[in-house]
Amino acid sequence: MKFAEEFKNAVTPRAALLVIGVLALQLLFITSYVGALHNPKPKDVAFGVVAPQPAAAKQLAQQLDKLQGSPLDTRVVKDAKTAREQVLNREIDGALVFHAKGAQDTLYVASGGGTVLASALEGLATTIDAQQQRTVKTVDVAPASVQDFDGLSAFYLVVGWCVGGYLCASIMSISAGSKPASPQRAAIRLGSLAVFAVVGGIGGSLIIGDSILGALPGSFWGLAGLGALITLAVGAITLALEELTGVVGIGLAVLLIVIAGNPSAGGAFPLPMLPPFWQAIGPWLPPGAGTWAARSIAYFKGNDLTQSLLVLSAWAVVGIVATLLVSGLREKRRGAKAGPATEPAAEPAA
């Protein structure tokens, strides 16, 4: 009996529920990461085909679409120049240019978008041409930096900004004993988060750039602004979840950003190499949107940024509005329960 009583005192029902929640997060972490990354292979990769005759190009596209496992989603492109531009604009991930003269074709890839995918496309093109007694020359239109092994630097940079965002938000809430924020306190926390985001964005861009590590090329201020937006978005949505659910919100933020967001971000393996579920959710979560945007800034001259920036901005706006709205409604309910202040009784006349 003594042990049972001590156990009840040591592990409260609330603590037991939190431990069960942590166990669920642990198992979801394993499921998400292993499920997304254990067997990467290209699936329906946007791929262009160029040939001197439209009929020949259409025939080649149909042949590539019938490859086992459907690794390519092929479309006919009118000429080599257009194919190169589409790869650089991130409209397609690669393109094969068939040359009628000679026995060598040209493959356009962009390793800045993910070296693993570029290598996979090169392997496919080499195998296809070898079956026709032809060879292929690979042209990398947006090559990854030699200091950016496997094109992972952009992903790790974004992960760092995401971690900073939810840790900053969590610490501001926990330091107050997880007390619900008043509207004034919520506004102060959001303002502090914004300052933290700007400093973190500049710091991350400085570390990753030529002045220190030299891991990523691209606009210093472009990456710094992106880092500030990512940090603000993640931090704001974490504050909102904490306002809605208390300390459980920290776990929900981990579920959203770390468990669902990181393996679907296209970092280790670009999106076309991930299973359908992770491929579908990746672009709509902060890590995936951030990774795409960081690579666009670093390697693709800022092309195809609109969707990613809109996604990150939407997370930031939703987080800010929800944090202020929930804290305001709670303050209003608290005032309603307290009721109007009572007037002190008048003193009897002398």
Side-chain angles (χ1 to χ4, degrees):
M1 290 295 296
K2 185 176 181 181
F3 174 78
E5 292 175 0
E6 289 293 336
F7 184 83
K8 288 180 180 179
N9 291 330
V11 184
T12 63
R14 183 172 183 270
L17 289 174
L18 290 174
V19 169
I20 292 171
V22 170
L23 176 61
L25 288 177
Q26 181 188 65
L27 297 179
L28 286 171
F29 184 98
I30 295 169
T31 302
S32 184
Y33 277 74
V34 177
L37 308 176
H38 76 288
N39 186 27
K41 53 186 176 182
K43 178 71 174 178
D44 295 328
V45 179
F47 193 76
V49 170
V50 179
Q53 300 297 327
K58 185 176 180 180
Q59 182 179 3
L60 180 57
Q62 292 173 346
Q63 177 187 349
L64 295 178
D65 281 336
K66 293 178 181 178
L67 290 173
Q68 186 176 2
S70 186
L72 302 176
D73 177 15
T74 313
R75 67 284 313 269
V76 174
V77 182
K78 65 177 182 178
D79 54 38
K81 180 182 178 181
T82 303
R84 185 187 183 102
E85 289 175 352
Q86 288 187 4
V87 174
L88 191 58
N89 291 335
R90 310 199 79 177
E91 297 174 39
I92 57 178
D93 296 297
L96 182 63
V97 181
F98 177 81
H99 300 291
K101 296 181 179 180
Q104 186 180 67
D105 300 326
T106 301
L107 173 70
Y108 291 125
V109 296
S111 62
T115 58
V116 177
L117 179 59
S119 298
L121 292 178
E122 186 174 3
L124 280 171
T126 300
T127 300
I128 293 165
D129 270 24
Q131 294 172 353
Q132 306 296 326
Q133 287 78 49
R134 300 178 66 83
T135 59
V136 63
K137 175 186 177 183
T138 301
V139 177
D140 196 341
V141 302
S145 167
V146 294
Q147 301 294 326
D148 183 13
F149 179 75
D150 271 357
L152 290 172
S153 296
F155 171 61
Y156 289 133
L157 175 65
V158 170
V159 168
W161 282 326
C162 289
V163 168
Y166 70 71
L167 283 181
C168 177
S170 301
I171 288 170
M172 284 192 291
S173 294
I174 292 174
S175 64
S178 298
K179 295 178 181 178
S182 65
Q184 295 81 6
R185 189 180 298 128
I188 291 171
R189 288 177 181 175
L190 287 167
S192 301
L193 174 65
V195 174
F196 176 87
V198 171
V199 175
I202 294 173
S205 184
L206 182 66
I207 291 170
I208 207 79
D210 292 335
S211 57
I212 299 181
L213 296 180
L216 278 184
S219 167
F220 171 85
W221 289 110
L223 287 173
L226 175 66
L229 180 57
I230 292 170
T231 306
L232 179 63
V234 173
I237 205 65
T238 303
L239 284 175
L241 291 171
E242 290 170 338
E243 284 298 308
L244 287 166
T245 63
V247 71
V248 175
I250 298 175
L252 294 177
V254 171
L255 175 64
L256 182 70
I257 304 301
V258 179
I259 294 176
N262 286 352
S264 65
F269 302 107
L271 290 175
M273 301 190 74
L274 297 179
F277 172 74
W278 287 270
Q279 189 176 138
I281 67 172
W284 306 105
L285 296 175
T291 299
W292 181 275
R295 284 174 171 164
S296 289
I297 293 171
Y299 295 119
F300 294 90
K301 302 179 180 179
N303 293 327
D304 200 18
L305 276 173
T306 303
Q307 177 180 308
S308 298
L309 294 182
L310 287 175
V311 167
L312 292 168
S313 299
W315 281 107
V317 170
V318 168
I320 291 169
V321 171
T323 299
L324 295 174
L325 184 62
V326 172
S327 63
L329 290 174
R330 184 184 294 111
E331 187 83 358
K332 188 175 180 180
R333 287 197 300 267
R334 190 181 297 119
K337 287 181 180 179
T342 58
E343 294 290 336
E347 294 183 3

PDB file of all heavy atoms in Angstrom, residues 209-228:
ATOM      1  N   GLY A 209      26.731  31.435 -45.203  1.00  0.00           N
ATOM      2  CA  GLY A 209      27.263  32.116 -46.376  1.00  0.00           C
ATOM      3  C   GLY A 209      28.775  32.106 -46.473  1.00  0.00           C
ATOM      4  O   GLY A 209      29.480  31.453 -45.705  1.00  0.00           O
ATOM      5  N   ASP A 210      29.274  32.878 -47.427  1.00  0.00           N
ATOM      6  CA  ASP A 210      30.704  32.863 -47.758  1.00  0.00           C
ATOM      7  C   ASP A 210      31.586  33.343 -46.618  1.00  0.00           C
ATOM      8  O   ASP A 210      32.744  32.930 -46.505  1.00  0.00           O
ATOM      9  CB  ASP A 210      30.961  33.739 -48.996  1.00  0.00           C
ATOM     10  CG  ASP A 210      30.358  33.129 -50.251  1.00  0.00           C
ATOM     11  OD1 ASP A 210      30.179  31.896 -50.278  1.00  0.00           O
ATOM     12  OD2 ASP A 210      30.048  33.888 -51.186  1.00  0.00           O
ATOM     13  N   SER A 211      31.078  34.217 -45.763  1.00  0.00           N
ATOM     14  CA  SER A 211      31.924  34.801 -44.729  1.00  0.00           C
ATOM     15  C   SER A 211      32.346  33.787 -43.661  1.00  0.00           C
ATOM     16  O   SER A 211      33.373  33.974 -43.012  1.00  0.00           O
ATOM     17  CB  SER A 211      31.191  35.965 -44.057  1.00  0.00           C
ATOM     18  OG  SER A 211      29.962  35.531 -43.521  1.00  0.00           O
ATOM     19  N   ILE A 212      31.574  32.699 -43.471  1.00  0.00           N
ATOM     20  CA  ILE A 212      31.940  31.707 -42.446  1.00  0.00           C
ATOM     21  C   ILE A 212      32.080  30.311 -43.055  1.00  0.00           C
ATOM     22  O   ILE A 212      33.182  29.833 -43.266  1.00  0.00           O
ATOM     23  CB  ILE A 212      30.918  31.711 -41.292  1.00  0.00           C
ATOM     24  CG1 ILE A 212      30.899  33.092 -40.617  1.00  0.00           C
ATOM     25  CG2 ILE A 212      31.259  30.635 -40.257  1.00  0.00           C
ATOM     26  CD1 ILE A 212      29.946  33.207 -39.445  1.00  0.00           C
ATOM     27  N   LEU A 213      30.962  29.629 -43.356  1.00  0.00           N
ATOM     28  CA  LEU A 213      31.045  28.243 -43.826  1.00  0.00           C
ATOM     29  C   LEU A 213      31.119  28.123 -45.345  1.00  0.00           C
ATOM     30  O   LEU A 213      31.673  27.151 -45.861  1.00  0.00           O
ATOM     31  CB  LEU A 213      29.841  27.437 -43.318  1.00  0.00           C
ATOM     32  CG  LEU A 213      29.736  27.260 -41.805  1.00  0.00           C
ATOM     33  CD1 LEU A 213      28.493  26.446 -41.449  1.00  0.00           C
ATOM     34  CD2 LEU A 213      30.983  26.566 -41.250  1.00  0.00           C
ATOM     35  N   GLY A 214      30.521  29.049 -46.053  1.00  0.00           N
ATOM     36  CA  GLY A 214      30.528  28.970 -47.512  1.00  0.00           C
ATOM     37  C   GLY A 214      29.752  27.788 -48.046  1.00  0.00           C
ATOM     38  O   GLY A 214      30.061  27.259 -49.114  1.00  0.00           O
ATOM     39  N   ALA A 215      28.710  27.342 -47.322  1.00  0.00           N
ATOM     40  CA  ALA A 215      27.969  26.143 -47.721  1.00  0.00           C
ATOM     41  C   ALA A 215      26.910  26.430 -48.778  1.00  0.00           C
ATOM     42  O   ALA A 215      26.584  25.550 -49.574  1.00  0.00           O
ATOM     43  CB  ALA A 215      27.315  25.501 -46.499  1.00  0.00           C
ATOM     44  N   LEU A 216      26.368  27.655 -48.773  1.00  0.00           N
ATOM     45  CA  LEU A 216      25.319  27.994 -49.733  1.00  0.00           C
ATOM     46  C   LEU A 216      25.630  29.312 -50.416  1.00  0.00           C
ATOM     47  O   LEU A 216      26.018  30.275 -49.757  1.00  0.00           O
ATOM     48  CB  LEU A 216      23.963  28.125 -49.029  1.00  0.00           C
ATOM     49  CG  LEU A 216      23.156  26.872 -48.716  1.00  0.00           C
ATOM     50  CD1 LEU A 216      21.819  27.258 -48.113  1.00  0.00           C
ATOM     51  CD2 LEU A 216      22.946  26.014 -49.945  1.00  0.00           C
ATOM     52  N   PRO A 217      25.440  29.375 -51.736  1.00  0.00           N
ATOM     53  CA  PRO A 217      25.513  30.668 -52.437  1.00  0.00           C
ATOM     54  C   PRO A 217      24.156  31.362 -52.320  1.00  0.00           C
ATOM     55  O   PRO A 217      23.306  30.975 -51.529  1.00  0.00           O
ATOM     56  CB  PRO A 217      25.810  30.241 -53.871  1.00  0.00           C
ATOM     57  CG  PRO A 217      25.147  28.906 -53.999  1.00  0.00           C
ATOM     58  CD  PRO A 217      25.258  28.247 -52.644  1.00  0.00           C
ATOM     59  N   GLY A 218      23.955  32.396 -53.097  1.00  0.00           N
ATOM     60  CA  GLY A 218      22.665  33.073 -53.115  1.00  0.00           C
ATOM     61  C   GLY A 218      22.676  34.354 -52.307  1.00  0.00           C
ATOM     62  O   GLY A 218      23.645  34.697 -51.623  1.00  0.00           O
ATOM     63  N   SER A 219      21.566  35.067 -52.364  1.00  0.00           N
ATOM     64  CA  SER A 219      21.425  36.369 -51.727  1.00  0.00           C
ATOM     65  C   SER A 219      21.471  36.253 -50.205  1.00  0.00           C
ATOM     66  O   SER A 219      20.684  35.515 -49.606  1.00  0.00           O
ATOM     67  CB  SER A 219      20.102  37.010 -52.159  1.00  0.00           C
ATOM     68  OG  SER A 219      19.788  38.122 -51.346  1.00  0.00           O
ATOM     69  N   PHE A 220      22.380  37.015 -49.583  1.00  0.00           N
ATOM     70  CA  PHE A 220      22.468  37.018 -48.126  1.00  0.00           C
ATOM     71  C   PHE A 220      21.163  37.501 -47.518  1.00  0.00           C
ATOM     72  O   PHE A 220      20.595  36.860 -46.617  1.00  0.00           O
ATOM     73  CB  PHE A 220      23.619  37.925 -47.682  1.00  0.00           C
ATOM     74  CG  PHE A 220      23.663  38.168 -46.197  1.00  0.00           C
ATOM     75  CD1 PHE A 220      24.296  37.270 -45.350  1.00  0.00           C
ATOM     76  CD2 PHE A 220      23.043  39.289 -45.644  1.00  0.00           C
ATOM     77  CE1 PHE A 220      24.318  37.485 -43.977  1.00  0.00           C
ATOM     78  CE2 PHE A 220      23.068  39.516 -44.274  1.00  0.00           C
ATOM     79  CZ  PHE A 220      23.705  38.607 -43.438  1.00  0.00           C
ATOM     80  N   TRP A 221      20.651  38.632 -48.000  1.00  0.00           N
ATOM     81  CA  TRP A 221      19.443  39.208 -47.418  1.00  0.00           C
ATOM     82  C   TRP A 221      18.213  38.408 -47.802  1.00  0.00           C
ATOM     83  O   TRP A 221      17.217  38.375 -47.053  1.00  0.00           O
ATOM     84  CB  TRP A 221      19.298  40.673 -47.822  1.00  0.00           C
ATOM     85  CG  TRP A 221      20.316  41.540 -47.148  1.00  0.00           C
ATOM     86  CD1 TRP A 221      21.381  42.162 -47.730  1.00  0.00           C
ATOM     87  CD2 TRP A 221      20.390  41.838 -45.746  1.00  0.00           C
ATOM     88  NE1 TRP A 221      22.103  42.837 -46.787  1.00  0.00           N
ATOM     89  CE2 TRP A 221      21.522  42.664 -45.556  1.00  0.00           C
ATOM     90  CE3 TRP A 221      19.615  41.495 -44.636  1.00  0.00           C
ATOM     91  CZ2 TRP A 221      21.891  43.142 -44.307  1.00  0.00           C
ATOM     92  CZ3 TRP A 221      19.981  41.976 -43.391  1.00  0.00           C
ATOM     93  CH2 TRP A 221      21.102  42.794 -43.231  1.00  0.00           C
ATOM     94  N   GLY A 222      18.260  37.760 -48.960  1.00  0.00           N
ATOM     95  CA  GLY A 222      17.143  36.883 -49.327  1.00  0.00           C
ATOM     96  C   GLY A 222      17.003  35.727 -48.353  1.00  0.00           C
ATOM     97  O   GLY A 222      15.899  35.420 -47.874  1.00  0.00           O
ATOM     98  N   LEU A 223      18.126  35.076 -48.031  1.00  0.00           N
ATOM     99  CA  LEU A 223      18.100  33.975 -47.066  1.00  0.00           C
ATOM    100  C   LEU A 223      17.783  34.485 -45.662  1.00  0.00           C
ATOM    101  O   LEU A 223      17.062  33.821 -44.899  1.00  0.00           O
ATOM    102  CB  LEU A 223      19.440  33.243 -47.077  1.00  0.00           C
ATOM    103  CG  LEU A 223      19.724  32.364 -48.304  1.00  0.00           C
ATOM    104  CD1 LEU A 223      21.152  31.839 -48.263  1.00  0.00           C
ATOM    105  CD2 LEU A 223      18.736  31.201 -48.392  1.00  0.00           C
ATOM    106  N   ALA A 224      18.315  35.653 -45.306  1.00  0.00           N
ATOM    107  CA  ALA A 224      18.032  36.208 -43.977  1.00  0.00           C
ATOM    108  C   ALA A 224      16.542  36.496 -43.812  1.00  0.00           C
ATOM    109  O   ALA A 224      15.946  36.192 -42.769  1.00  0.00           O
ATOM    110  CB  ALA A 224      18.849  37.481 -43.756  1.00  0.00           C
ATOM    111  N   GLY A 225      15.931  37.088 -44.834  1.00  0.00           N
ATOM    112  CA  GLY A 225      14.488  37.353 -44.780  1.00  0.00           C
ATOM    113  C   GLY A 225      13.679  36.073 -44.710  1.00  0.00           C
ATOM    114  O   GLY A 225      12.688  35.991 -43.972  1.00  0.00           O
ATOM    115  N   LEU A 226      14.104  35.077 -45.473  1.00  0.00           N
ATOM    116  CA  LEU A 226      13.425  33.781 -45.423  1.00  0.00           C
ATOM    117  C   LEU A 226      13.532  33.175 -44.025  1.00  0.00           C
ATOM    118  O   LEU A 226      12.543  32.662 -43.484  1.00  0.00           O
ATOM    119  CB  LEU A 226      14.039  32.832 -46.459  1.00  0.00           C
ATOM    120  CG  LEU A 226      13.503  31.404 -46.429  1.00  0.00           C
ATOM    121  CD1 LEU A 226      12.030  31.370 -46.830  1.00  0.00           C
ATOM    122  CD2 LEU A 226      14.319  30.496 -47.356  1.00  0.00           C
ATOM    123  N   GLY A 227      14.715  33.254 -43.431  1.00  0.00           N
ATOM    124  CA  GLY A 227      14.902  32.707 -42.091  1.00  0.00           C
ATOM    125  C   GLY A 227      14.018  33.392 -41.071  1.00  0.00           C
ATOM    126  O   GLY A 227      13.438  32.736 -40.184  1.00  0.00           O
ATOM    127  N   ALA A 228      13.881  34.706 -41.171  1.00  0.00           N
ATOM    128  CA  ALA A 228      13.013  35.431 -40.252  1.00  0.00           C
ATOM    129  C   ALA A 228      11.565  34.997 -40.413  1.00  0.00           C
ATOM    130  O   ALA A 228      10.838  34.808 -39.424  1.00  0.00           O
ATOM    131  CB  ALA A 228      13.146  36.935 -40.494  1.00  0.00           C
TER     132      ALA A 228
END
